Amino acid sequence: AQSVSQHNHHVILSEAASLELGCNYSYGGTVNLFWYVQYPGQHLQLLLKYFSGDPLVKGIKGFEAEFIKSKFSFNLRKPSVQWSDTAEYFCAVFLGQNFVFGPGTRLSVLP
Amino acid sequence: DTAVSQTPKYLVTQMGNDKSIKCEQNLGHDTMYWYKQDSKKFLKIMFSYNNKELIINETVPNRFSPKSPDKAHLNLHINSLELGDSAVYFCASSPGTGSYGYTFGSGTRLTVV
């Protein structure tokens, strides 16, 4: 079945540690890929998106993601996390009329 | 001003009851959506409306009925609530169908006891 999967359910890091959250999708052809973040008690916010071109995309708050077509992956990275990055992170594919989201990864950053 | 607002934020109710969740957007968007986030945190599309017209209706029990009185509002009415309906329901809007520029609401956590 076509889906979006995220490798980690819960990631716990100390401040200044590097972050990589995995995302894989099973859709063929051209895909539009997104990462959203949901801070505690808040709505989902767009971190970054990939449509085409440079497979390394930069988003807000120092986040970036790399699209690797051969691996059907779109992993999210940040060189040095902060306590304020504690949130839920969702990878998603846009199918033209709606999104299909992954199950989310909870990131807890310890001060 | 909140761009997409949902009410209530929390809803606890007994099985068998009927309840509604309201959503309003002040962005001037034409398209609105309801997504359901289940206990395993999967976010799935339920409905979308474009300018009051139903566009997407995924496999959702008939007990769920969306209503869009105008393009700024999309309400979700649920009849005969069941335990399995417990979830977080997110409303969203976008400029139009086919637009990825979603703005999400903060969600309504529904708990059926």
Side-chain angles (χ1 to χ4, degrees), chain B residues 18 28-29 33 59 72 87 92:
Chain B
D18 303 337
H29 286 169
Y33 310 81
T59 306

Side-chain angles (χ1 to χ4, degrees), chain A residues 4 9 34 36 38 41-46 49 51 88 90 94 96-106, chain B residues 9 33 35 37 40-45 48 55-56 58 88 90 97-107:
Chain A
V4 179
H9 177 67
F34 296 73
Y36 278 87
Q38 185 180 24
Q42 296 190 26
H43 59 277
L44 282 97
Q45 301 174 40
L46 180 65
K49 61 186 183 288
F51 281 5
E88 195 88 30
F90 293 91
F94 186 67
Q97 282 196 323
N98 63 279
F99 282 96
V100 174
F101 289 91
T105 297
R106 187 193 308 174
Chain B
K9 195 172 178 65
Y33 310 81
Y35 279 77
Q37 186 177 41
K40 294 184 178 180
K41 294 189 294 178
F42 278 99
L43 266 163
K44 294 181 181 177
I45 181 76
S48 79
I55 301 298
I56 294 176
E58 290 296 305
V88 181
F90 286 96
T97 57
S99 169
Y100 60 83
Y102 277 37
T103 301
F104 283 89
S106 297

